[in-house]
Amino acid sequence: MSGKYVYRFGDGRADMRDLLGGKGANLAEMVRLGLPVPPGFIISTQACRDYYRLGRNWPGSLEEQVAEALAALEGECGRPLGSAEDPLLVSVRSGGAASMPGMMDTILNLGLNPESAEGMGRSSGSAIFALDCYRRFLQMFGDVVMGIPHRRFEDVLETARRRRNAPEHGQWDEETLRGVVQQYLKLVADHTGDPFPVSPRRQLWMAIRAVFDSWNNQRAIAYREMYGIPHDLGTAVTVQSMVFGNRGPRSATGVVFSRDPSTGARRLYGEYLLNAQGEDVVAGIRTPRPIADMAGELPDAHAQLERYARLLEGHYRDMQDIEFTVEEDRLYILQTRSGKRSVAASIRAAVDLAEEGVIDREAALLRVEPEALARLLHPTIDSRAALDVLATGLPASPGAATGSIALDADSAQARAEAGERVLLVRPETTPDDIHGIAAAQGVLTARGGMTCHAAIVARGMGKPCVVGCDAIRFDPRGDSVQIGDRVLRAGDILSIDGATGRVVLGEVPLVQPDLSPYFRTLLAWADGARRLGVRANADTPADAARAREFGAEGIGLCRTEHMFMAQDRLPIVQAMILAETERERRGHLERLLPIQRADFAGILEAMAGLPVTIRLLDPPLHEFLPNLEELGAAALGSAPTAREHQLLQRARALRESNPMLGHRGVRLGISHPEIYEMQVRAIFEATADLVSRGVDARPEIMIPLVGLDRELAFCHELIARVAAEVAAARGMSLACPVGTMIEIPRACVVAGVIAGQAEFFSFGTNDLTQTTFGFSRDDAEAKFLTRYLDSRILTANPFVTLDRDGVGRLVEMAVEGGRRARPDLKIGICGEHGGDPASISFFHQAGLDYVSCSPFRVPIARLAAAQAALSASRPASDAPSST
Amino acid sequence: MSGKYVYRFGDGRADMRDLLGGKGANLAEMVRLGLPVPPGFIISTQACRDYYRLGRNWPGSLEEQVAEALAALEGECGRPLGSAEDPLLVSVRSGGAASMPGMMDTILNLGLNPESAEGMGRSSGSAIFALDCYRRFLQMFGDVVMGIPHRRFEDVLETARRRRNAPEHGQWDEETLRGVVQQYLKLVADHTGDPFPVSPRRQLWMAIRAVFDSWNNQRAIAYREMYGIPHDLGTAVTVQSMVFGNRGPRSATGVVFSRDPSTGARRLYGEYLLNAQGEDVVAGIRTPRPIADMAGELPDAHAQLERYARLLEGHYRDMQDIEFTVEEDRLYILQTRSGKRSVAASIRAAVDLAEEGVIDREAALLRVEPEALARLLHPTIDSRAALDVLATGLPASPGAATGSIALDADSAQARAEAGERVLLVRPETTPDDIHGIAAAQGVLTARGGMTCHAAIVARGMGKPCVVGCDAIRFDPRGDSVQIGDRVLRAGDILSIDGATGRVVLGEVPLVQPDLSPYFRTLLAWADGARRLGVRANADTPADAARAREFGAEGIGLCRTEHMFMAQDRLPIVQAMILAETERERRGHLERLLPIQRADFAGILEAMAGLPVTIRLLDPPLHEFLPNLEELGAAALGSAPTAREHQLLQRARALRESNPMLGHRGVRLGISHPEIYEMQVRAIFEATADLVSRGVDARPEIMIPLVGLDRELAFCHELIARVAAEVAAARGMSLACPVGTMIEIPRACVVAGVIAGQAEFFSFGTNDLTQTTFGFSRDDAEAKFLTRYLDSRILTANPFVTLDRDGVGRLVEMAVEGGRRARPDLKIGICGEHGGDPASISFFHQAGLDYVSCSPFRVPIARLAAAQAALSASRPASDAPSST
């Protein structure tokens, strides 16, 4: 329990973060770079750990080492702590290895007592300035170190304020300030039974103890729990001499970014205030001025600042956010860190830095958060607009939308077809609402989580969506909703912001997305860096075209069920389901054939030259029939028609206890081979038509829900037979790869034998997650998933980010088994996880060939895939990070 | 395509089955043992394979080899084929390596033509005998070899019969027989355009070709498809001299078992007929006499037969079923094979053979089919009774039951309580019907498969059950059923046979089970041989006591949901579910506590000294509420009561899309910890009560549906807290092992981390099969499983026999992972598969510690576990098997 505990700034480096804390290491690094940093020293995290080990007692030689460092600091600054002439003041701050903003304690202006305050007044030439520092110190120390409620100090200020009729203490005279200081000293004495400590060294030790103790205050513990930070790291303590930007007209304080945080343009961007302290900037009493003005008022300091900003940016290889103070023409840098910025700015900054040679392209690619790209692809609400926010829900699909309220899918569609822009507002959505979602500008639901039906469909369509907005109440008559305390009728104008979850009354001004050349450049670099292919999930020619525009290299999942749901086909599909005989069923399928053929032709042509993976019908047949309960209620309301009766009976017969595990996917294809036959015929006929027109159509046929190799063998036979028939009829040779979804655990376990029958695998990680966990997604989200996440039984929603330990292990098994049996097996993934950056990183590591996601997530996947490839080949930490 | 194709009987052995076919190898083996077998030779399967390879042409030197063997045979018998004096007749039979009974062709009496028939008449002294053989030969050869429809020959016989007024040809005179022979010869000539072949050698070659060709007839191919026999094995052809038991009063024919096939007692058991041929015994024209009588009539042959029976039994080390013929005092053995016998006989024979030293105990254990034991544990229908069988369903749970029809669970219970024996007849059953099943003698349903709800519950209770009997129609008024064409009302008497699926009108005479000392001896040997422990699944003290009687070494699964379902608790459970606040819910749980405590005390006491694994509540709460649809209908019928309304609302709120994957198991325990708390408290309080009374109570607490280690950690904490509270209150120390079900794929994959929190694993292979396949059991059985089994996409129902390749692999992963993390981890299985012999064999191999099954399957599991251990340590084939 001894050794070196105390480090002067000059002794440290950025990579000593664990020992010196983030703040301390950062200050030390700046000193090392030769930047003008107010001098100081750091008490290490080791001292804190030993302090706790010793039952909150000072370890070994700590007291001596601090005394030594303090003496050196006094010497360097030429001012002794507590001096009655020109006293040194210090700040005492906490700082652990991991950032825990606002969780632990800080004390400023330490070192003041009656004598040194007088001395400071004299040396600064302003008694008011010195008294104000003294007052601030007493209040902060009393609150943080002595535990006196903040409110008690505010009461004193309030009384003084009322007495003087001066609303702001900044305008108080010396007498008033002296009175406040006296009352503060009395307040402390009354509260603690002891006078306020006058010895600056005693003040320092009390402050150090307070910082160490704050490591284990309730909010710090809770914060560490929440972010998974170990409890035994401890905090360092930084003791730094104070500098003052309020020493007069040649002093100032401010904050600058090394580049414009909105656009990324390379120029200093920020604000400053003459003759002011940092907190005055924050308090907003005076209006700060743009940094450019400083070039005229404090030209030397401004030039220095510009130089240091470039130096720091080059050193940290990222745009910086810098706090500075000028004390009587002398510039001090107080802190630097990577600057928060808009997505557009982060892209431009990354591209520019790479083109300026500050960083390489790989680093630039690692700089941009893939998820953030989503915000660039959709309109957003103008940030300057005043909004009437009625409620907030979950931000389920980014982008902002405005429209007139439609309370059901049919009216949404009808009104949209009449040219109206509508917003669909529902308690929740089901597959029956697809046409309404398609017709609407955006979707708002009262129930559901981030992966509910509305969220998934809207994300897939790239439409803004807010779900789980429980402030919405639906009127049972179905013609109005109450949101918060406002009642709105169908047709009223409402807006939503899918990036934040806000629900806003009326029209809002939108900023349209504009994909900059920087965006395109970055994604082109990403394409060069990634190994994973990126495809899109798309069911229509329009979606396919959009996907292609966003850079998709094929369609990884073309679902055919939405084609069956469309209004013009559903009656035929229902008639097919109601058919009593196979012969009758085949009759209805004959009518569907030309429609499906046209569907496939459209998509294959839109993706000419690129593969299109078409999944044969997957959902259980009852999904195409009206809801049983609705049917039942309708039938009871009046004498049911013959058709209603027939529908009801069929829906009853098809009902399943667990449809997710029921008669769907290949199981349906095996019991009703005529359905798959029709689909396969449509694919081959469409291909034949296109090929004879010279279009390079590349279909791939995918079988859903396979768990047994013989299921696939059955389909293989059927497909070969139909291919031969169409080929014979058209007089051309036709063949296409046949593969399978891997979406149930058994398929992963026996992937080797399944690969014997499959030319490609595509992981359906949605269903695989459901079956691996034994979670029904809808039920889990509604009933217990939130509780699991809140209590950290689960650390992430496995329907959003792939569960590596469980589902991921099965994916790895399947990849190993499949590739062992068939080394050239092509492997992709087409679940929702295909667009999630963390999951993409896993898919890269697992050796997949491509990911497939909704068109709007294609750019995100391209960047995430590049980052995955780069992270795998580069050391974990690319650049020293700043606090 | 040449080499040795033909083998004389003396050249072969039992282990040349692949080359000589089962029949040929068996005859050769008997010759090798010195038994009197009519001489002959075998054309090998290789000849057949080469025949096909050569496009159905005779390979190489086959013709020469046959000629040579035939000449030798003629020499040995002293009769030439086709002789006009005393001709040799032969039989020509098929016989592959695998038994395909009745699938291929056989020709008897080959070698007859006008001259040899006359010669045979002279040499045998009976022209009628010779003409009858000739007629039989012409008919068989014409049908089998020449393809003339059987019916054409029957027409000739029928005409002759009518003309003579002699109903049976056995009583025909020589003239009539001559007429029939002439008409047969004409029929053949008319049909084929050629006269019937007179050359015996040509007859022989035609017969050999017919046998080879019959390998590929339609029914043989279908049979091989069904039983997975390869198509390229080919058949051998056995050519054997005929002997005749109808040569006069010193001739006879018969069949004997080496032991009594009903009881297993060691004495010849069978029948014979003097002066008769084998088919006369089968035809039943004359009544055969018990074999014991033969000792008087043909004493030498009888003594010889007795000696040979012992010899064969000793050689094949199993009870034999022997066909013999006596030709003029000379005994011939024609065939021997392992005798079919009753279960009781197979047990006694096995035990006796072992005690006589013919086989060892291990061999005795391997002799008895474990599944067959089920038939010993339940009453059976007296096989001598004449039955009015109305329909047949699936035999879902063995045993026979008679009772008056009850058409719903409530009336079944009410009438049973009034002392009536009832049979519950339902379209299908649900958890709501449990009390009705418990009250009934047996259950009959119209729908459902071998693993439907009724089947599982009935097997668990050891009650006879027939399901899927689709001949039943329910009257919508609910007071009668139609079975086949009979209408039965509630109260009418009906019987079912759960071992065969028969549904019988009225009362049937039952034979009560009687567990013999042999049964007990065999199971005691099994206990000595097995490594796997055997526990039972039981929820009541009565079941627990029965399980113990059957040899269970503990309770592997005590479900607590049935306790919640009982009529006296359900209202409290429902009130608990309807509670609006946790406080109110705790109030209702308080009322359940003493009831649960008594439940647990009863079981723990019944199993004193043995472990009792209690599973905390598993099903979703909505299972305890009335069915939503019924509620809805009831509510619409009249104004709903407040309680009905409340139930309806709550049932709606709790409804899930996929309850199997929903809010149940540990998920329920985590969102409503007060429920698990009550159950855990009841367990510890019951244990404390028993321990203080000196009872050795050994509870183990099991958490269902765990997929995440933190779920288990949560429960561990809860259990430890309650244990400490009860221990403090009772002033004693209390602890019990805490473990988990492993029943979802994720638990298998991350078994290592889960084992960190679990002292034992128990595989729930029902749910694990559902989630691994993505099959909802109920839906799969109703919708597509039958189709999968029929078309052999699945070779076995995975809910009956564990799927080794998929589910089994996950079980192995979990065992490996769990034991690596915790070497002393105890691992069991408590799904339905725990009572299935094939699955038990797998569990033995996978290294589990115990299986747990329903009480009535405990003896089966004990034997199966012994067989698994023995098969693992002995060579695959223990004894040469006979055809």
Side-chain angles (χ1 to χ4, degrees), chain A residues 629 653 655 711 783 788 803, chain B residues 629 653 655 711 783 788:
Chain A
E629 216 170 290
R655 175 169 43 174
E711 289 171 330
K783 315 271 173 176
Y788 267 41
D803 158 51
Chain B
E629 214 171 291
R655 175 170 41 174
E711 289 172 329
K783 315 271 171 177
Y788 267 42

Side-chain angles (χ1 to χ4, degrees), chain B residues 406-427:
Chain B
L407 292 167
D408 63 84
D410 291 341
S411 73
Q413 189 185 35
R415 283 162 46 199
E417 280 171 1
E420 203 175 336
R421 298 192 322 153
V422 300
L423 195 75
L424 181 63
V425 182
R426 294 283 301 158

Side-chain angles (χ1 to χ4, degrees), chain B residues 825-837:
Chain B
L825 186 72
K826 193 167 56 175
I827 307 184
I829 177 265
C830 62
E832 282 278 297
H833 298 100
D836 170 63

